Amino acid sequence: MKIHALAANNKQEELINFDYETNSNLPHDCIVKVQTCGICHSDIHMIDNDWRISKYPLVPGHEVVGIVEEVGGLVNHLKVGDRVGIGWQSEACLECRDCLRGNENLCNSSKATIVGRHGGFGSHVQVDSRFCFKIPDSLESAIASPLLCAGITVYSALRYAGMSSGQNIGIIGIGGLGHLAVQFAAKLGNRVTVFTTSPDKEEFARSNGATEVIIGTPPRKIKDKLNIILNTTHNDLDWVRFLSLLDSDGTLSFVGVPPSNLSNIHVNMLLNKRLRIMGSPIGGRAMINEMLEIAALQGITPVIEKFPATKVNEAIAKVRANQVRYRAVLEF
Ligand SMILES: [Zn+2]
Ligand SMILES: [Zn+2]
């Protein structure tokens, strides 16, 4: 079967039409007719070859939702007509210690949907069915798309930082990742404090469920110390100040990557209050299913801007300029 996709032929170039044939010799694979696909900053990094792993023609797209149209001979858990989502990861060994613990995202043989293979910007995508996730009926496809990368990234990070209910949770940044983190934390019954540098985002933070919004430099003390602080930004911030806002046994977790190393954090600061600093990449398969269920049950709703697939280059330009509020989704 021929897939009509959109690809960059060289780094930093606009996407153009690109057709390729599916491979029928992969019995675990399925072919999904794409309905919607989010545009993530990682797609842009891949188009630009920022990580020096891009191969061209490069078909981006790893927040895919669509309908299963064909299944390979060994696919039992999906059938033609199922609506599924595909995220950043599309392969793991499924045998190593991490995979057997449900941490496929930590597997050394992990492969990404758009690295060395073609992603979701197209009529269809061919992908390992073991990394396709059924989308609950109540989640509209365009709404589900950003959950497959942005949503699972923040949800898994919060869970592994120990998020339950009745806690005080801080979220640094209220963009594409941050607004979803606020929703998950708030809808699961936590008090959420948002840290932002933009005064004009206060109302948006509150509309997503934040109970406190701290604009600009964080204070030295806050009334309710935080159990978790999740950083979703890519800035160098005063991490010592943030650590001082954590309650005992608190965790400072990173999904956004600041450019500099974390320096001037003295171990005594961690030791005295038994604090932890952690990072977290996407999420394992069980966690993705759990996140989708919770999103459906709790009405987690990414704030999106939709674009027809024909306007892909306009949409990418807007993502590059940081002008999308808050996740861009292409409709095919
Ligand atoms: Zn992504
Ligand atoms: Zn593995």
Side-chain angles (χ1 to χ4, degrees):
M1 164 182 182
K2 188 169 273 184
I3 294 181
H4 307 292
L6 296 160
N9 262 337
N10 272 304
K11 74 184 242 180
Q12 296 167 337
E13 282 189 3
E14 291 208 325
L15 306 196
I16 54 171
N17 291 326
F18 164 65
D19 289 355
Y20 65 96
E21 285 291 335
T22 54
N23 178 352
S24 53
N25 296 323
L26 299 166
H28 285 292
D29 276 17
C30 61
I31 292 172
V32 175
K33 183 170 183 7
V34 179
Q35 293 179 318
T36 57
C37 190
I39 305 177
C40 177
H41 285 279
S42 305
D43 291 310
I44 312 271
H45 287 302
M46 285 298 293
I47 292 170
D48 293 350
N49 197 18
D50 286 338
W51 300 325
R52 313 215 183 278
I53 51 172
S54 305
K55 290 208 177 81
Y56 302 91
L58 183 128
V59 180
H62 62 274
E63 289 183 337
V64 191
V65 176
I67 306 292
V68 175
E69 207 168 273
E70 280 179 34
V71 292
L74 293 176
V75 178
N76 295 316
H77 72 293
L78 292 178
K79 56 182 191 314
V80 171
D82 284 345
R83 193 170 59 121
V84 295
I86 299 134
W88 174 256
Q89 187 178 12
S90 60
E91 197 180 314
C93 79
L94 304 180
E95 289 172 349
C96 72
R97 235 198 287 212
D98 282 320
C99 284
L100 294 178
R101 288 172 177 150
N103 292 323
E104 298 87 359
N105 53 324
L106 308 184
C107 175
N108 289 335
S109 308
S110 167
K111 297 224 168 81
T113 306
I114 59 170
V115 179
R117 66 186 79 205
H118 299 314
F121 287 12
S123 60
H124 300 77
V125 63
Q126 175 167 5
V127 68
D128 189 323
S129 63
R130 294 167 295 187
F131 286 86
C132 291
F133 305 93
K134 278 195 198 170
I135 303 292
D137 289 342
S138 65
L139 287 177
E140 207 187 294
S141 297
I143 289 296
S145 266
L147 296 175
L148 274 316
C149 184
I152 186 58
T153 297
V154 295
Y155 180 76
S156 182
L158 286 167
R159 280 298 194 204
Y160 279 100
M163 178 179 71
S164 55
S165 296
Q167 295 170 316
N168 296 311
I169 294 185
I171 306 293
I172 306 173
I174 180 87
L177 291 170
H179 86 289
L180 291 174
V182 174
Q183 287 190 35
F184 277 114
K187 295 228 166 149
L188 288 171
N190 299 290
R191 285 175 297 276
V192 183
T193 300
V194 164
F195 297 90
T196 176
T197 50
S198 325
D200 53 327
K201 286 195 178 164
E202 173 163 4
E203 205 180 303
F204 179 65
R206 290 190 191 278
S207 71
N208 279 280
T211 38
E212 277 313 317
V213 180
I214 293 174
I215 295 159
T217 310
R220 286 183 190 281
K221 284 190 177 156
I222 47 174
K223 190 163 55 77
D224 296 310
K225 288 209 155 199
L226 302 164
N227 303 102
I228 297 167
I229 298 176
L230 179 68
N231 171 54
T232 70
T233 71
H234 300 277
N235 305 320
D236 286 326
L237 301 175
D238 185 350
W239 304 118
V240 170
R241 177 70 60 90
F242 281 107
L243 284 171
S244 74
L245 302 180
L246 284 174
D247 201 352
S248 300
D249 284 312
T251 301
L252 172 61
S253 179
F254 287 84
V255 291
V257 182
S260 306
N261 291 340
L262 305 184
S263 53
N264 72 32
I265 294 170
H266 197 283
V267 168
N268 272 341
M269 199 165 184
L270 307 178
L271 192 149
N272 291 339
K273 292 286 180 184
R274 215 157 52 199
L275 306 181
R276 289 177 297 175
I277 299 175
M278 64 173 282
S280 179
I282 50 171
R285 294 186 297 168
M287 194 64 90
I288 292 174
N289 283 321
E290 178 183 306
M291 179 275 302
L292 289 169
E293 286 300 327
I294 286 181
L297 277 169
Q298 301 292 339
I300 305 289
T301 312
V303 176
I304 58 169
E305 196 172 328
K306 293 184 196 173
F307 298 85
T310 49
K311 298 225 163 126
V312 64
N313 289 311
E314 249 169 72
I316 288 174
K318 222 169 159 184
V319 174
R320 282 183 187 279
N322 254 328
Q323 285 170 349
V324 173
R325 296 290 175 265
Y326 279 86
R327 295 294 283 191
V329 177
L330 296 172
E331 293 182 299
F332 288 85

